[in-house]
Amino acid sequence: MNKEEIEKLSYDFFNKSHSNFVDENEAIVPELSGMRLFDNPLFGFASSKDEEFWNLKNQSVIGEHFMLPEEWLTGAVTVVSFFMPFSEEVIKSNRGNKEVISNQWLHGRIEGQRFVAEFCRYLNSKIIEDGFRSLSPSLDKRFYTTKEDDKGHLFSSNWSERHVAFICGLGTFGLSKGIITEKGMAGRIGSLITDMPLEPTERKYSDIYQYCTMCGACVKRCPAGAISLEKGKIHRICSDFLDYTAEKYKPRYGCGKCQTGVPCERRIPLQRR
Ligand code: SF4
Ligand code: SF4
């Protein structure tokens, strides 16, 4: 299997899998039955030996608990990261009133995350069928996220989809701490590690915030006041707001106001620096 075949298989899956469309039995309102959750994904590839993975073990980045590709899969050769942009319907619906999370976005966040896991399982199975080994750390029993570690770091995981996306050439961080890709920031990210050799993607940037113009639009969009130009995003404030949405929109939750109605929503914004 090569990169083009991986992309083609994935596009077919995104277009045909029922899980990428809201089921009529789960739709929050009947009109959302059949709504598409994600557009086709964007792929990035990195060598499992890329020294940037080692940098993630620094305490100032993630920490010693970050597990290298080789630690997840002995003999790892390639890390594959994919950005799954939300569909126009999901994104457009959440551009309005920042105090109200749209039903479409709530579906994207919850049923969408279920689809991310399903897609990971599908792609791993196709690579394994082709005679290689493959796993997604986020689905592995060794994966964990602590809400707060002993150094006070919030949501510290032993695998970070956003940092991995950066290493795989998909894009850079934005002020709101999402990844800005060629298809914007509004979407979800997944990854897998395999011993299948695939050519790494060139990183077209050198700075971790290169694609962010620091325009401050996400600061104004955040209903919780969690983002500022001076401090970036304060995870604790965002997390508390998500807890509030979990009560309000039970059994779903979500926000995404910093990813919608902003210049980096669906593209890399024009650079001002
Ligand atoms: S809205 Fe502006 S400041 Fe915020 S992440 Fe996007 S480009 Fe950066
Ligand atoms: S997800 Fe919502 S609360 Fe969290 S930083 Fe973005 S806009 Fe603010």
Side-chain angles (χ1 to χ4, degrees), residues 20-132:
N20 194 21
F21 299 85
V22 174
D23 187 276
E24 66 174 328
N25 297 315
E26 292 184 318
I28 298 171
V29 290
E31 304 80 69
L32 294 185
S33 171
M35 180 190 74
R36 184 172 175 135
L37 296 171
F38 294 104
D39 287 345
N40 286 344
L42 198 61
F43 283 90
F45 304 84
S47 162
S48 62
K49 307 279 184 294
D50 194 312
E51 63 183 28
E52 289 289 337
F53 288 115
W54 282 96
N55 289 340
L56 301 186
K57 279 189 176 281
N58 287 333
Q59 200 57 48
S60 59
V61 189
I62 293 177
E64 191 55 43
H65 60 287
F66 175 80
M67 283 172 62
L68 297 168
E70 174 74 19
E71 293 176 293
W72 288 101
L73 182 75
T74 308
V77 177
T78 305
V79 177
V80 184
S81 175
F82 31 89
F83 174 71
M84 301 165 58
F86 283 131
S87 66
E88 179 65 17
E89 199 169 345
V90 171
I91 292 175
K92 198 169 129 194
S93 68
N94 208 38
R95 282 183 193 140
N97 186 346
K98 69 180 187 180
E99 305 298 333
V100 179
I101 315 305
S102 74
N103 288 333
Q104 292 89 330
W105 188 271
L106 294 170
H107 274 308
R109 184 67 188 79
I110 303 304
E111 284 78 10
Q113 191 58 36
R114 191 172 68 199
F115 180 67
V116 175
E118 201 165 306
F119 175 58
C120 286
R121 280 192 286 272
Y122 171 77
L123 207 47
N124 281 314
S125 72
K126 288 293 170 190
I127 292 172
I128 291 165
E129 266 175 32
D130 208 30
F132 296 91

Side-chain angles (χ1 to χ4, degrees), residues 142-204:
R142 293 168 292 171
F143 177 80
Y144 67 82
T145 301
T146 52
K147 192 151 187 181
E148 187 164 5
D149 69 15
D150 56 3
K151 301 214 166 38
H153 296 146
L154 292 177
F155 307 111
S156 190
S157 304
N158 54 357
W159 184 253
S160 165
E161 301 295 5
R162 290 171 307 132
H163 287 86
V164 168
F166 174 85
I167 295 171
C168 289
L170 276 178
T172 80
F173 285 83
L175 181 71
S176 60
K177 295 292 184 283
I179 291 289
I180 304 175
T181 73
E182 284 171 18
K183 293 192 177 191
M185 185 194 275
R188 307 296 298 166
I189 309 174
S191 63
L192 59 83
I193 304 169
T194 176
D195 59 358
M196 175 185 276
L198 294 159
E199 184 71 21
T201 304
E202 180 199 355
R203 281 194 289 273
K204 296 178 185 155

Side-chain angles (χ1 to χ4, degrees), residues 222-224 226-227 233 238 241 255-258:
C222 178
I227 312 169
K233 175 169 145 183
C238 173
F241 185 76
C255 173
K257 293 294 176 183
C258 54

